[in-house]
Each structure stands twice: as structure tokens, then as C-alpha cells.
Amino acid sequence: MIEWILYFILAMTAIIIMQSTYNSLLYRQKKSALKVILVVIIDGVTLVLSLATAYGISRLEHLQKVGLIIRIINVPFASFFNYLPKWALFIWFVLPLLIAWVFFLFKGGIVYQAIKRKFIEFNKNQALAKKETKEHKNKVQNSQTKPKLETQSIPSNAKKMPPKMHFLDDVQLHHLEPKTFAGVKKMAMMAKNGLIVGKTKNGYVACYRTGQGYKDLKKLFSKNSIDISMLKPQSSIVFFNHDKVKAQSFKNYIRKMKEGAL
């Protein structure tokens, strides 16, 4: 009986060491050949030492004094367990633990795969956003360099026309009141269904609370050559025109309204 208890403690110790080594060096970390070799060495040494210790435990009973003590302790335990119905104990105590272990192992695998898919999708979205931002910056740079070549033929007394404050002709505009709490609350409710846009004195205000609304606003900015680098993939209120973009989350915007900082 004592030997089996020692075997169990030894096995649990070896498993904990191996699992801790894997978690600290490889799990969700950048893998390298050195780390893999180090994990293999540590696990190999742990396995060899565990087997050697298990062999030593199996020889304890053959020692003169230690073996006598072990046999004396084992006698009452052996007598007690010989009277117990082994299959009934297995069904009542061991089988439920095995079923629970298999269930949680399967459930943990499903949860891990779901988290992994979300993580991969998040990385793809981030890479796509960076690519779109880079392409937009290139377009802006190209549009800024071309007029410089053409301005040489413009007369010196020609007046530069200011950009139009309201230039969205093909967008459905809503009556929005971003300066009042009731208006912001109404905007938040409307933004649950996607992107909404409205006019302001100096341009436009837009808000979104969904991923599709965020994508739609980026497309609108790209179509009208507006910098999308200020946009964030979170619920936001955005004031913009051709020259300026100011985006902030609903939470920060409401906080500033309460503080009178707008």
C-alpha cells in the first residue's frame, strides 16, 4: 500500500515538472531549436530519475529494517481492502472521476480551438488594417506630390479654394445631436445596427459600435482620401472633415461631456 502511494506521488511530481517546463518555455511562446532541446533534456532527465526512484521504491521492502516497517503498515491496509467490493468501489469512485476527466479534457480542447481561431482571425484583421493604412498613406503621398508639379503653371495671383466642409453626396445622413447626453444615447442605440453619419457645423460626425460599422467608415474614409490611422476597432464617435479626424470612445466622450471638457 505504501509503495503505491509513493508511486502516485512520484508520478504526479514528474508530470508537474514536465508540464511546468513546457508551459514556461514553449506554450504560446516563440519556439526555437534551443528551447525544444532544453525541454527534451529536462523531460528526459525527469523521466530517468523517476524510473530510478520507482525502482528504488520497489526495493524498499527487501531492506531489512525498512522492509519490516513497510510490511507491518501494509498488513492492516491489505486486510481492510481485501474485504471491500472492488468493482463497486471502482464504479462509485474511480469511474466518475475518469468520466469527468475525459469530459473536461474534451471541453478544454474545444475552448482552446475556439480561442485559437479568434486569435488567428484577430491577427488577420490587424494585418489587413495595417495593409489598408499603408496603401492609404501611399495614395495620400501620391496625391500630394502630383499637385506640386501642376502648381507651376498656376498664376501667382490665383486664390486657393478652401476644401468643402460637406462633401458626402452619396451617404445617408442622420440628424444627430452629439453635444447632448440624450443625443449621444440615441446615437449609441442607432449605432448598434451599423455605421451612422450626420452633419456638424465643421464637417461630419460618425459613430459605430460593430465591426462592420468600423469597416464601413474605413471604406468611406479611403474613398474620400481621409486618413484612417485615427480609427480604432472599438465603439467610437468620430468628428471629421477633409483635414481633421478626431476619434474617441463613447466612454471617454461621455466622461468629457460630464467634465465640460468638450
Side-chain angles (χ1 to χ4, degrees):
M1 182 65 186
I2 293 179
E3 295 95 325
W4 287 106
I5 295 175
L6 295 176
Y7 287 146
F8 177 77
I9 295 174
L10 179 64
M12 290 296 101
T13 303
I15 291 173
I16 291 172
I17 293 174
M18 292 180 179
Q19 187 67 29
S20 300
T21 304
Y22 173 78
N23 288 341
S24 60
L25 295 177
L26 294 180
Y27 182 65
R28 287 190 177 182
Q29 297 190 34
K30 187 176 181 180
K31 298 176 178 61
S32 64
L34 180 61
K35 287 185 177 181
V36 174
I37 293 172
L38 186 59
V39 170
V40 171
I41 292 174
I42 294 175
D43 289 350
V45 171
T46 303
L47 183 61
V48 171
L49 291 177
S50 299
L51 293 175
T53 306
Y55 177 76
I57 294 172
S58 67
R59 305 299 299 174
L60 287 177
E61 192 174 353
H62 298 283
L63 299 177
Q64 185 175 0
K65 295 182 179 180
V66 178
L68 178 62
I69 296 173
I70 292 176
R71 285 191 293 274
I72 292 172
I73 297 174
N74 282 344
V75 167
F77 284 104
S79 302
F80 175 74
F81 282 107
N82 286 335
Y83 285 104
L84 294 176
K86 296 178 177 57
W87 279 109
L89 289 174
F90 176 80
I91 293 174
W92 280 101
F93 295 101
V94 179
L95 188 60
L97 293 176
L98 289 176
I99 294 174
W101 182 79
V102 172
F103 171 76
F104 284 109
L105 179 65
F106 181 72
K107 184 178 179 181
I110 294 176
V111 172
Y112 170 76
Q113 291 298 328
I115 294 174
K116 185 177 179 180
R117 284 196 300 270
K118 290 182 179 178
F119 181 72
I120 293 174
E121 184 179 356
F122 173 77
N123 285 338
K124 287 183 178 178
N125 291 335
Q126 290 293 102
L128 182 61
K130 289 181 180 179
K131 182 179 179 181
E132 291 178 351
T133 303
K134 185 177 180 180
E135 291 177 351
H136 175 72
K137 287 182 178 179
N138 291 336
K139 289 180 179 179
V140 172
Q141 290 176 356
N142 292 335
S143 63
Q144 289 176 347
T145 54
K146 288 180 179 179
K148 290 181 180 179
L149 298 176
E150 298 173 357
T151 52
Q152 296 177 359
S153 59
I154 299 176
S156 59
N157 57 352
K159 294 183 179 180
K160 183 179 179 181
M161 295 296 294
K164 292 172 61 178
M165 287 295 182
H166 301 105
F167 48 87
L168 299 178
D169 299 326
D170 56 348
V171 177
Q172 181 183 359
L173 300 177
H174 300 267
H175 177 68
L176 305 178
E177 298 178 358
K179 299 300 182 180
T180 64
F181 287 105
V184 174
K185 183 178 180 181
K186 181 180 178 182
M187 290 168 63
M189 295 296 295
M190 295 172 64
K192 288 183 178 180
N193 300 321
L195 175 67
I196 60 171
V197 182
K199 282 186 178 182
T200 65
K201 180 180 179 181
N202 298 320
Y204 297 94
V205 59
C207 62
Y208 55 86
R209 296 183 64 187
T210 63
Q212 186 60 46
Y214 168 63
K215 293 178 181 178
D216 290 341
L217 187 57
K218 287 203 302 182
K219 291 179 181 177
L220 180 64
F221 275 28
S222 299
K223 181 179 179 181
N224 291 275
S225 299
I226 303 174
D227 186 11
I228 66 173
S229 61
M230 294 293 294
L231 302 182
K232 305 297 181 185
Q234 60 181 359
S235 301
S236 300
I237 296 179
V238 185
F239 292 90
F240 67 94
N241 53 35
H242 269 306
D243 300 325
K244 296 181 180 179
V245 177
K246 184 178 181 181
Q248 52 190 316
S249 65
F250 273 95
K251 182 178 179 181
N252 289 337
Y253 187 80
I254 293 173
R255 177 178 58 80
K256 289 182 179 180
M257 286 184 68
K258 292 179 178 179
E259 296 174 355
L262 292 178

